[in-house]
Every structure is written in C-alpha cells, then in structure tokens.
C-alpha cells in the first residue's frame, strides 16, 4: 500500500515538513508518479518493531527493583 506525504505524516505522527526532509535526505524511499511522491507503507515496519522492542526494554528496566546499598548500615 502506498501513502502520500500527508498520509505518511499522519501514520508516523510527524509533520509533513519532516517527512519531506526525510525524503530529501534519502531516509524514506518514494516513487514519484509525475505529480506526487508515493511512499510504500511497509518500509516502516522495522521501525515500529524496534520501537516496540525498546519500549519493552524500558518497561523492564523501570520495573527492576532497586538493589539494597551494601554501604548503608542498619541502625537497629
């Protein structure tokens, strides 16, 4: 499935200007049909998979208990 720049911006939750910059920098592959750039939606699948992976890693890190400090003496 192909998206326009506007649809891609909405899909990625970024501005249209940012998508245009990514296209100019060669970070997003497009097809140009003579009128507009068409962007293949599936090229972002790896990006979203990596975001999910990092999200889970951060959640694991946040849920990890804080180890007791060995230098703190018990005053009891």
């Amino acid at each position: 499935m192909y998206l326009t720049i506007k649809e891609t911006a909405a899909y990625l939750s970024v501005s249209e200007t940012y998508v245009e910059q990514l296209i100019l920098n060669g970070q997003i592959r497009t097809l140009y049909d003579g009128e507009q750039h068409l962007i293949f939606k599936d090229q972002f699948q790896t990006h979203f998979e990596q975001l999910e992976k990092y999200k889970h890693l951060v959640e694991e890190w946040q849920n990890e208990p804080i180890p007791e400090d060995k230098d703190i003496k018990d005053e009891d």
Side-chain angles (χ1 to χ4, degrees):
M1 174 178 194
Y2 288 92
L3 304 171
T4 63
I5 291 176
K6 184 176 184 176
E7 293 169 337
T8 302
Y11 180 65
L12 298 176
S13 300
V14 297
S15 69
E16 290 180 42
T17 306
Y18 184 66
V19 172
E20 291 169 353
Q21 282 293 328
L22 292 174
I23 291 169
L24 289 174
N25 293 335
Q27 294 175 309
I28 294 179
R29 296 183 309 259
T30 67
L31 294 174
Y32 188 70
D33 69 355
E35 294 180 17
Q36 63 183 349
H37 287 276
L38 298 174
I39 302 161
F40 190 58
K41 183 178 179 180
D42 288 345
Q43 69 180 299
F44 303 111
Q45 189 62 35
T46 303
H47 170 73
F48 286 121
E49 288 172 0
Q50 288 177 348
L51 282 178
E52 284 299 315
K53 178 181 173 183
Y54 290 128
K55 186 189 236 182
H56 289 294
L57 287 173
V58 168
E59 287 174 1
E60 287 178 14
W61 178 73
Q62 288 177 335
N63 292 331
E64 187 175 304
I66 299 173
E68 288 189 31
D69 191 359
K70 295 179 183 177
D71 294 337
I72 295 178
K73 294 182 181 177
D74 189 18
E75 299 205 11
D76 289 340

